[in-house]
Coordinates of all heavy atoms in Angstrom, one line a residue:
M1 N 0.8 -1.2 0.0 CA 0.0 0.0 0.0 C 0.9 1.3 0.0 O 0.6 2.2 -0.8 CB -0.9 0.0 1.2 CG -1.8 1.2 1.3 SD -3.1 1.0 2.5 CE -2.5 1.8 3.8
L2 N 1.9 1.3 0.9 CA 2.7 2.5 0.9 C 3.5 2.6 -0.4 O 3.7 3.7 -0.9 CB 3.7 2.4 2.1 CG 3.1 2.6 3.4 CD1 4.1 2.4 4.5 CD2 2.5 4.1 3.6
Y3 N 4.0 1.5 -0.9 CA 4.7 1.5 -2.2 C 3.9 2.0 -3.3 O 4.4 2.8 -4.2 CB 5.4 0.2 -2.5 CG 6.4 0.3 -3.6 CD1 7.6 1.0 -3.4 CD2 6.1 -0.2 -4.8 CE1 8.5 1.1 -4.4 CE2 7.0 0.0 -5.9 CZ 8.2 0.6 -5.7 OH 9.1 0.8 -6.7
E4 N 2.7 1.6 -3.4 CA 1.8 2.0 -4.5 C 1.6 3.5 -4.4 O 1.5 4.2 -5.4 CB 0.4 1.3 -4.4 CG 0.6 -0.2 -4.8 CD 1.2 -0.4 -6.1 OE1 0.9 0.3 -7.1 OE2 2.1 -1.3 -6.2
R5 N 1.4 4.1 -3.2 CA 1.3 5.5 -3.0 C 2.5 6.2 -3.5 O 2.5 7.3 -4.1 CB 0.9 5.8 -1.6 CG 0.8 7.3 -1.3 CD -0.5 7.9 -2.0 NE -0.6 9.3 -1.7 CZ -0.8 10.2 -2.5 NH1 -1.1 9.9 -3.8 NH2 -0.9 11.5 -2.2
W6 N 3.7 5.7 -3.1 CA 5.0 6.3 -3.5 C 5.1 6.3 -5.0 O 5.5 7.3 -5.6 CB 6.1 5.5 -2.9 CG 7.4 5.6 -3.6 CD1 8.0 4.7 -4.3 CD2 8.2 6.8 -3.8 NE1 9.2 5.2 -4.9 CE2 9.3 6.5 -4.6 CE3 8.0 8.1 -3.3 CZ2 10.3 7.4 -4.9 CZ3 9.0 9.0 -3.6 CH2 10.1 8.7 -4.4
R7 N 4.7 5.2 -5.7 CA 4.8 5.1 -7.1 C 3.9 6.2 -7.8 O 4.4 6.8 -8.7 CB 4.4 3.7 -7.6 CG 5.4 2.7 -7.4 CD 4.9 1.4 -8.0 NE 4.8 1.6 -9.4 CZ 4.4 0.7 -10.3 NH1 4.1 -0.5 -9.8 NH2 4.3 0.9 -11.6
K8 N 2.8 6.4 -7.2 CA 1.8 7.4 -7.8 C 2.4 8.8 -7.7 O 2.4 9.6 -8.6 CB 0.5 7.3 -7.1 CG -0.5 8.3 -7.6 CD -1.8 8.1 -6.9 CE -2.8 9.2 -7.5 NZ -4.0 9.3 -6.7
I9 N 3.0 9.1 -6.5 CA 3.6 10.4 -6.3 C 4.8 10.6 -7.2 O 4.9 11.7 -7.9 CB 4.0 10.6 -4.8 CG1 2.8 10.7 -4.0 CG2 4.9 11.8 -4.7 CD1 3.0 10.6 -2.5
A10 N 5.6 9.6 -7.3 CA 6.8 9.7 -8.2 C 6.4 9.9 -9.7 O 7.1 10.7 -10.4 CB 7.7 8.4 -8.0
K11 N 5.4 9.2 -10.1 CA 5.0 9.4 -11.5 C 4.3 10.7 -11.8 O 4.4 11.3 -12.9 CB 4.1 8.2 -11.9 CG 4.8 6.9 -12.0 CD 4.0 5.8 -12.5 CE 4.8 4.5 -12.4 NZ 5.4 4.2 -13.6
E12 N 3.6 11.3 -10.8 CA 2.9 12.6 -10.9 C 3.9 13.7 -10.9 O 3.6 14.8 -11.4 CB 1.9 12.8 -9.8 CG 0.7 11.9 -9.9 CD -0.2 12.0 -8.7 OE1 0.1 12.6 -7.7 OE2 -1.3 11.4 -8.8
R13 N 5.0 13.6 -10.2 CA 6.0 14.7 -10.0 C 7.4 14.3 -10.3 O 8.3 14.5 -9.5 CB 5.9 15.1 -8.5 CG 4.5 15.6 -8.2 CD 4.4 15.7 -6.7 NE 3.0 15.9 -6.3 CZ 2.6 17.0 -5.8 NH1 3.4 18.0 -5.5 NH2 1.3 17.2 -5.5
P14 N 7.7 13.7 -11.5 CA 9.0 13.1 -11.8 C 10.1 14.2 -11.7 O 11.3 13.8 -11.5 CB 8.9 12.5 -13.1 CG 7.7 13.3 -13.8 CD 6.8 13.6 -12.6
N15 N 9.9 15.4 -12.0 CA 10.9 16.4 -12.1 C 11.1 17.3 -10.9 O 11.9 18.2 -10.9 CB 10.7 17.3 -13.4 CG 10.8 16.4 -14.6 OD1 11.6 15.6 -14.8 ND2 9.8 16.6 -15.5
E16 N 10.2 17.1 -9.9 CA 10.3 17.9 -8.7 C 11.3 17.3 -7.7 O 11.5 16.1 -7.6 CB 8.9 17.9 -8.0 CG 7.9 18.7 -8.7 CD 6.6 18.8 -8.0 OE1 6.6 18.9 -6.7 OE2 5.6 18.9 -8.7
L17 N 12.0 18.2 -6.9 CA 13.0 17.8 -5.9 C 12.3 16.9 -4.9 O 11.3 17.3 -4.3 CB 13.6 19.0 -5.3 CG 14.7 18.7 -4.3 CD1 15.9 18.0 -4.9 CD2 15.1 20.0 -3.6
A18 N 12.9 15.8 -4.6 CA 12.4 14.8 -3.6 C 13.3 14.7 -2.4 O 12.9 14.5 -1.3 CB 12.1 13.5 -4.3
L19 N 14.6 14.7 -2.7 CA 15.6 14.4 -1.6 C 16.8 15.2 -1.9 O 17.3 15.3 -3.0 CB 15.9 12.9 -1.6 CG 16.9 12.4 -0.6 CD1 16.4 12.6 0.8 CD2 17.2 10.9 -0.8
R20 N 17.4 15.8 -0.8 CA 18.7 16.5 -0.9 C 19.6 16.0 0.2 O 19.2 15.9 1.4 CB 18.4 18.0 -0.7 CG 19.7 18.8 -0.9 CD 19.5 20.2 -0.7 NE 18.4 20.7 -1.5 CZ 18.0 21.9 -1.6 NH1 18.6 22.9 -0.8 NH2 17.0 22.3 -2.4
D21 N 20.8 15.6 -0.1 CA 21.8 15.2 0.8 C 22.8 16.3 1.0 O 23.6 16.6 0.2 CB 22.5 13.9 0.3 CG 23.5 13.4 1.3 OD1 23.5 13.8 2.5 OD2 24.4 12.6 0.9
F22 N 22.6 17.0 2.1 CA 23.5 18.2 2.4 C 24.9 17.8 2.6 O 25.8 18.6 2.2 CB 23.0 19.0 3.6 CG 21.7 19.7 3.3 CD1 20.5 19.2 3.7 CD2 21.7 20.9 2.5 CE1 19.3 19.9 3.4 CE2 20.6 21.5 2.2 CZ 19.3 21.1 2.7
A23 N 25.2 16.6 3.1 CA 26.6 16.2 3.3 C 27.4 16.0 2.0 O 28.5 16.5 1.9 CB 26.6 14.8 4.0
S24 N 26.7 15.5 0.9 CA 27.4 15.3 -0.4 C 27.0 16.4 -1.4 O 27.7 16.5 -2.4 CB 27.0 13.9 -0.9 OG 25.7 13.9 -1.3
G25 N 25.9 17.1 -1.1 CA 25.4 18.0 -2.1 C 24.6 17.4 -3.2 O 24.1 18.1 -4.1
R26 N 24.3 16.1 -3.1 CA 23.6 15.5 -4.2 C 22.1 15.7 -4.0 O 21.6 15.8 -2.9 CB 23.8 14.0 -4.1 CG 23.1 13.2 -5.2 CD 23.8 12.1 -5.8 NE 23.0 11.6 -6.9 CZ 22.7 10.3 -7.0 NH1 23.1 9.4 -6.2 NH2 21.9 9.9 -8.1
R27 N 21.4 15.8 -5.1 CA 19.9 16.0 -5.1 C 19.3 14.9 -6.0 O 19.8 14.5 -7.0 CB 19.6 17.4 -5.6 CG 20.2 18.5 -4.9 CD 20.2 19.8 -5.7 NE 18.8 20.2 -5.9 CZ 18.3 21.4 -5.7 NH1 19.1 22.3 -5.3 NH2 17.1 21.7 -6.0
W28 N 18.0 14.5 -5.7 CA 17.3 13.6 -6.5 C 15.9 14.1 -6.7 O 15.3 14.6 -5.8 CB 17.1 12.2 -5.7 CG 18.2 11.4 -5.5 CD1 18.6 10.3 -6.3 CD2 19.2 11.4 -4.5 NE1 19.7 9.7 -5.8 CE2 20.1 10.4 -4.7 CE3 19.4 12.3 -3.4 CZ2 21.2 10.2 -3.9 CZ3 20.5 12.1 -2.6 CH2 21.4 11.0 -2.8
T29 N 15.4 14.0 -7.9 CA 14.0 14.3 -8.2 C 13.2 13.1 -7.9 O 13.8 12.0 -7.6 CB 13.8 14.6 -9.7 OG1 14.2 13.5 -10.5 CG2 14.7 15.8 -10.2
F30 N 11.9 13.2 -7.9 CA 11.1 12.0 -7.6 C 11.4 10.9 -8.6 O 11.4 9.7 -8.3 CB 9.6 12.4 -7.6 CG 9.2 13.0 -6.3 CD1 9.1 14.4 -6.2 CD2 8.9 12.3 -5.2 CE1 8.7 15.0 -5.0 CE2 8.5 12.8 -4.0 CZ 8.4 14.2 -3.9
G31 N 11.5 11.3 -9.9 CA 11.8 10.3 -10.9 C 13.1 9.6 -10.8 O 13.3 8.4 -10.9
E32 N 14.2 10.4 -10.4 CA 15.5 9.8 -10.2 C 15.5 8.9 -8.9 O 16.0 7.8 -9.0 CB 16.5 10.9 -9.9 CG 16.8 11.7 -11.2 CD 17.6 13.0 -10.9 OE1 17.6 13.5 -9.7 OE2 18.3 13.4 -11.8
L33 N 14.8 9.3 -7.9 CA 14.7 8.5 -6.7 C 14.0 7.2 -7.0 O 14.3 6.1 -6.5 CB 14.0 9.3 -5.6 CG 14.2 8.8 -4.2 CD1 15.6 8.7 -3.8 CD2 13.5 9.7 -3.2
F34 N 12.9 7.3 -7.7 CA 12.1 6.1 -8.1 C 13.0 5.2 -8.9 O 13.0 4.0 -8.6 CB 10.9 6.5 -8.9 CG 10.0 5.4 -9.4 CD1 9.1 4.8 -8.5 CD2 10.1 4.9 -10.6 CE1 8.4 3.7 -8.9 CE2 9.4 3.8 -11.0 CZ 8.5 3.2 -10.1
S35 N 13.7 5.7 -9.9 CA 14.6 4.8 -10.7 C 15.6 4.1 -9.9 O 15.9 2.9 -10.0 CB 15.2 5.6 -11.8 OG 14.3 6.1 -12.7
E36 N 16.3 4.9 -9.0 CA 17.3 4.3 -8.2 C 16.7 3.3 -7.2 O 17.3 2.2 -7.0 CB 18.1 5.4 -7.4 CG 19.5 5.0 -7.2 CD 20.3 6.2 -6.8 OE1 20.2 7.3 -7.4 OE2 21.1 6.0 -5.8
G37 N 15.6 3.5 -6.7 CA 14.9 2.6 -5.8 C 14.5 1.3 -6.4 O 14.5 0.2 -5.9
E38 N 14.1 1.4 -7.7 CA 13.7 0.2 -8.5 C 14.8 -0.7 -8.7 O 14.6 -1.9 -8.8 CB 13.1 0.7 -9.8 CG 11.7 1.3 -9.7 CD 10.6 0.2 -9.3 OE1 10.4 -0.7 -10.1 OE2 10.1 0.4 -8.2
S39 N 16.0 -0.2 -8.8 CA 17.2 -1.1 -9.1 C 17.8 -1.6 -7.9 O 18.7 -2.5 -8.0 CB 18.2 -0.3 -10.0 OG 18.7 0.8 -9.2
R40 N 17.4 -1.2 -6.7 CA 18.0 -1.6 -5.5 C 17.3 -2.9 -5.0 O 16.1 -3.0 -5.1 CB 17.9 -0.5 -4.5 CG 18.8 -0.7 -3.3 CD 18.7 0.6 -2.4 NE 19.6 0.7 -1.4 CZ 20.8 1.3 -1.4 NH1 21.1 1.9 -2.5 NH2 21.6 1.3 -0.4
Q41 N 18.1 -3.8 -4.4 CA 17.6 -5.0 -3.8 C 17.6 -4.9 -2.3 O 18.6 -4.5 -1.7 CB 18.4 -6.2 -4.2 CG 18.4 -6.5 -5.7 CD 17.0 -7.0 -6.2 OE1 16.4 -7.8 -5.5 NE2 16.6 -6.4 -7.3
A42 N 16.5 -5.4 -1.7 CA 16.4 -5.4 -0.2 C 17.2 -6.6 0.3 O 17.1 -7.7 -0.3 CB 15.0 -5.5 0.2
A43 N 18.0 -6.4 1.3 CA 18.8 -7.5 1.9 C 18.0 -8.2 3.0 O 17.7 -7.6 4.0 CB 20.1 -7.0 2.4
G44 N 17.8 -9.5 2.8 CA 17.1 -10.3 3.8 C 15.6 -10.2 3.9 O 15.0 -9.4 3.1
D45 N 15.0 -11.0 4.8 CA 13.6 -11.0 4.9 C 13.1 -9.7 5.7 O 12.0 -9.3 5.6 CB 13.1 -12.2 5.6 CG 13.4 -13.5 4.8 OD1 13.3 -13.4 3.5 OD2 13.6 -14.5 5.4
V46 N 13.9 -9.2 6.6 CA 13.6 -8.0 7.4 C 14.7 -7.0 7.0 O 15.9 -7.3 7.0 CB 13.6 -8.3 8.9 CG1 13.4 -7.0 9.6 CG2 12.6 -9.4 9.2
V47 N 14.3 -5.8 6.7 CA 15.3 -4.7 6.3 C 15.4 -3.8 7.5 O 14.4 -3.4 8.1 CB 14.8 -4.0 5.0 CG1 15.7 -2.9 4.7 CG2 14.6 -5.0 3.9
F48 N 16.7 -3.4 7.8 CA 17.0 -2.5 8.9 C 17.6 -1.3 8.4 O 18.8 -1.1 8.6 CB 17.9 -3.3 9.9 CG 17.3 -4.5 10.5 CD1 17.6 -5.7 10.0 CD2 16.4 -4.4 11.6 CE1 17.1 -6.9 10.5 CE2 15.9 -5.6 12.1 CZ 16.2 -6.8 11.6
P49 N 16.9 -0.4 7.8 CA 17.5 0.9 7.4 C 17.9 1.7 8.6 O 17.2 1.7 9.6 CB 16.4 1.6 6.6 CG 15.2 1.0 7.0 CD 15.5 -0.4 7.5
R50 N 19.0 2.4 8.5 CA 19.4 3.3 9.6 C 20.2 4.5 9.1 O 20.7 4.5 8.0 CB 20.3 2.5 10.6 CG 21.7 2.2 10.1 CD 22.5 1.4 11.1 NE 22.3 0.0 10.8 CZ 22.6 -0.9 11.6 NH1 23.0 -0.7 12.8 NH2 22.4 -2.2 11.3
G51 N 20.3 5.5 10.0 CA 21.0 6.7 9.7 C 20.2 7.8 9.1 O 19.0 7.7 9.0
H52 N 21.0 8.7 8.6 CA 20.4 9.9 8.0 C 20.8 10.1 6.5 O 20.5 11.1 5.9 CB 20.8 11.2 8.8 CG 20.4 11.1 10.2 ND1 19.2 11.6 10.7 CD2 21.0 10.6 11.3 CE1 19.1 11.3 12.0 NE2 20.2 10.8 12.4
A53 N 21.4 9.1 6.0 CA 21.9 9.2 4.6 C 20.8 8.8 3.6 O 19.9 8.1 4.0 CB 23.2 8.3 4.4
P54 N 21.0 9.1 2.4 CA 20.0 8.7 1.3 C 19.8 7.2 1.3 O 18.7 6.8 0.9 CB 20.6 9.3 0.0 CG 21.4 10.4 0.5 CD 22.0 10.0 1.8
E55 N 20.8 6.4 1.7 CA 20.6 5.0 1.6 C 19.4 4.5 2.5 O 18.8 3.5 2.2 CB 21.9 4.3 2.1 CG 23.0 4.4 1.1 CD 23.7 5.8 1.0 OE1 23.6 6.6 2.0 OE2 24.2 6.0 -0.1
F56 N 19.1 5.3 3.5 CA 18.0 4.9 4.4 C 16.7 4.9 3.5 O 15.9 3.9 3.5 CB 17.8 6.0 5.5 CG 16.6 5.7 6.4 CD1 16.8 5.0 7.6 CD2 15.4 6.1 6.1 CE1 15.8 4.7 8.4 CE2 14.3 5.8 6.9 CZ 14.5 5.1 8.1
I57 N 16.5 5.9 2.7 CA 15.3 6.0 1.9 C 15.4 5.0 0.8 O 14.3 4.3 0.5 CB 15.2 7.4 1.2 CG1 15.1 8.5 2.3 CG2 14.1 7.5 0.2 CD1 13.9 8.5 3.1
L58 N 16.5 4.8 0.2 CA 16.6 3.8 -0.9 C 16.4 2.4 -0.4 O 15.7 1.5 -1.0 CB 18.0 3.9 -1.6 CG 18.2 5.2 -2.3 CD1 19.6 5.3 -2.7 CD2 17.3 5.3 -3.5
D59 N 16.9 2.0 0.8 CA 16.6 0.7 1.5 C 15.1 0.6 1.8 O 14.6 -0.5 1.6 CB 17.5 0.5 2.7 CG 18.9 0.4 2.5 OD1 19.3 0.0 1.3 OD2 19.7 0.5 3.4
L60 N 14.5 1.6 2.3 CA 13.1 1.6 2.6 C 12.3 1.4 1.4 O 11.4 0.5 1.4 CB 12.7 2.9 3.3 CG 11.3 3.1 3.7 CD1 10.9 2.1 4.8 CD2 11.0 4.5 4.1
L61 N 12.6 2.1 0.3 CA 11.8 1.9 -1.0 C 11.9 0.5 -1.5 O 11.0 -0.1 -2.0 CB 12.2 2.9 -2.0 CG 11.9 4.4 -1.7 CD1 12.5 5.3 -2.7 CD2 10.4 4.6 -1.6
A62 N 13.2 -0.1 -1.5 CA 13.4 -1.4 -2.0 C 12.6 -2.4 -1.1 O 12.0 -3.4 -1.6 CB 14.9 -1.8 -1.9
A63 N 12.6 -2.2 0.2 CA 11.8 -3.1 1.1 C 10.3 -3.0 0.8 O 9.6 -4.1 0.8 CB 12.1 -2.8 2.5
W64 N 9.8 -1.8 0.7 CA 8.4 -1.7 0.3 C 8.0 -2.4 -1.0 O 7.1 -3.1 -1.0 CB 8.0 -0.2 0.2 CG 7.9 0.5 1.5 CD1 8.0 0.1 2.8 CD2 7.7 1.9 1.6 NE1 7.8 1.1 3.7 CE2 7.6 2.3 3.0 CE3 7.5 3.0 0.7 CZ2 7.4 3.5 3.5 CZ3 7.3 4.3 1.2 CH2 7.2 4.5 2.5
R65 N 8.9 -2.2 -2.0 CA 8.6 -2.8 -3.3 C 8.6 -4.3 -3.2 O 7.8 -5.0 -3.8 CB 9.7 -2.4 -4.3 CG 9.4 -2.8 -5.7 CD 10.5 -2.5 -6.7 NE 11.6 -3.4 -6.5 CZ 12.8 -3.1 -6.0 NH1 13.1 -1.8 -5.7 NH2 13.7 -4.0 -5.9
E66 N 9.5 -4.9 -2.4 CA 9.6 -6.3 -2.3 C 8.7 -6.9 -1.1 O 8.8 -8.1 -0.8 CB 11.0 -6.7 -2.0 CG 11.9 -6.3 -3.2 CD 13.4 -6.6 -3.0 OE1 13.7 -7.4 -2.1 OE2 14.2 -6.0 -3.7
N67 N 7.8 -6.1 -0.6 CA 6.9 -6.5 0.5 C 7.7 -7.1 1.7 O 7.3 -8.1 2.3 CB 5.9 -7.4 0.0 CG 4.9 -6.8 -0.9 OD1 4.4 -5.7 -0.6 ND2 4.6 -7.4 -2.0
K68 N 8.8 -6.5 2.1 CA 9.6 -7.0 3.2 C 9.2 -6.2 4.5 O 8.6 -5.1 4.4 CB 11.1 -6.7 3.0 CG 11.6 -7.3 1.7 CD 11.9 -8.8 1.9 CE 12.4 -9.4 0.6 NZ 13.8 -9.8 0.6
I69 N 9.5 -6.8 5.6 CA 9.3 -6.2 6.9 C 10.4 -5.1 7.1 O 11.6 -5.4 6.8 CB 9.4 -7.2 8.0 CG1 8.2 -8.2 7.9 CG2 9.3 -6.5 9.4 CD1 8.3 -9.4 8.8
V70 N 10.0 -3.9 7.5 CA 11.0 -2.9 7.7 C 11.1 -2.5 9.2 O 10.0 -2.3 9.9 CB 10.6 -1.6 6.9 CG1 11.6 -0.5 7.2 CG2 10.5 -1.9 5.5
C71 N 12.3 -2.5 9.7 CA 12.5 -2.1 11.1 C 13.6 -1.0 11.2 O 14.8 -1.3 11.2 CB 12.9 -3.3 11.9 SG 13.2 -3.0 13.7
P72 N 13.2 0.3 11.1 CA 14.2 1.3 11.1 C 15.0 1.4 12.4 O 14.4 1.1 13.5 CB 13.4 2.6 10.9 CG 12.0 2.2 10.4 CD 11.8 0.8 11.0
L73 N 16.3 1.7 12.3 CA 17.1 1.7 13.5 C 17.8 3.1 13.6 O 18.0 3.8 12.6 CB 18.2 0.7 13.4 CG 17.8 -0.8 13.2 CD1 19.0 -1.7 13.0 CD2 17.0 -1.2 14.5
E74 N 18.1 3.4 14.9 CA 18.9 4.6 15.1 C 20.3 4.4 14.7 O 20.8 3.2 14.7 CB 18.8 5.0 16.6 CG 17.4 5.3 17.1 CD 16.9 6.7 16.5 OE1 17.7 7.6 16.2 OE2 15.7 6.8 16.4
I75 N 21.1 5.4 14.5 CA 22.5 5.3 14.2 C 23.2 4.6 15.4 O 22.9 5.0 16.6 CB 23.1 6.7 14.0 CG1 22.6 7.3 12.8 CG2 24.7 6.6 13.9 CD1 23.0 8.7 12.5
G76 N 24.0 3.6 15.1 CA 24.7 2.9 16.2 C 23.8 1.7 16.8 O 24.4 0.9 17.6
Q77 N 22.6 1.7 16.5 CA 21.7 0.6 17.1 C 21.9 -0.7 16.3 O 21.9 -0.6 15.0 CB 20.3 1.1 17.0 CG 19.3 0.1 17.7 CD 17.9 0.6 17.7 OE1 17.6 1.6 17.0 NE2 17.0 0.0 18.4
S78 N 22.0 -1.8 16.9 CA 22.1 -3.1 16.3 C 20.8 -3.7 16.0 O 19.8 -3.5 16.8 CB 22.9 -4.0 17.2 OG 24.2 -3.5 17.4
P79 N 20.6 -4.5 14.9 CA 19.4 -5.1 14.7 C 19.1 -6.1 15.8 O 20.0 -6.7 16.4 CB 19.6 -5.9 13.4 CG 20.8 -5.2 12.8 CD 21.6 -4.7 13.9
P80 N 17.8 -6.3 16.1 CA 17.4 -7.3 17.2 C 17.7 -8.7 16.7 O 17.7 -9.0 15.5 CB 16.0 -7.1 17.4 CG 15.5 -6.4 16.2 CD 16.6 -5.6 15.6
E81 N 18.0 -9.6 17.6 CA 18.2 -11.0 17.2 C 17.0 -11.8 17.2 O 16.1 -11.6 17.9 CB 19.2 -11.6 18.2 CG 20.6 -10.9 18.0 CD 21.7 -11.6 18.9 OE1 21.5 -12.8 19.2 OE2 22.6 -10.9 19.2

């Protein structure tokens, strides 16, 4: 459900700014973020995105697309066993 909503937004606004990484200066439009998320694979049955980097969003999108369980973590937090 969340992924379908994300796809709709990305297709309606492909050229609008979606994400900016101030550390690297990189920017993604919704279209670019969608394309990058489509090519990313979620690792494992449960995905543990963490941190404040763009990889958090890309891992989240890949997990949503693949219908994986997502458990966001704080920086430095270990995944539960």
Side-chain angles (χ1 to χ4, degrees):
M1 181 167 97
L2 289 172
Y3 190 71
E4 291 305 315
R5 178 69 179 135
W6 157 248
R7 286 183 62 182
K8 182 178 180 192
I9 291 169
K11 288 182 187 270
E12 288 173 352
R13 302 165 187 247
N15 299 315
E16 291 185 31
L17 180 63
L19 178 65
R20 182 182 309 182
D21 180 20
F22 287 103
S24 69
R26 181 143 185 232
R27 302 164 62 131
W28 288 263
T29 64
F30 282 99
E32 291 168 336
L33 197 58
F34 180 80
S35 293
E36 211 166 314
E38 285 291 297
S39 64
R40 195 173 188 96
Q41 295 293 318
D45 293 329
V46 179
V47 178
F48 300 97
R50 75 179 91 198
H52 301 271
E55 287 73 25
F56 180 97
I57 299 296
L58 294 169
D59 289 343
L60 180 69
L61 293 173
W64 284 355
R65 187 185 76 248
E66 297 176 19
N67 292 314
K68 304 279 178 109
I69 296 169
V70 179
C71 180
L73 301 175
E74 296 289 333
I75 294 174
Q77 185 178 12
S78 298
E81 294 186 26

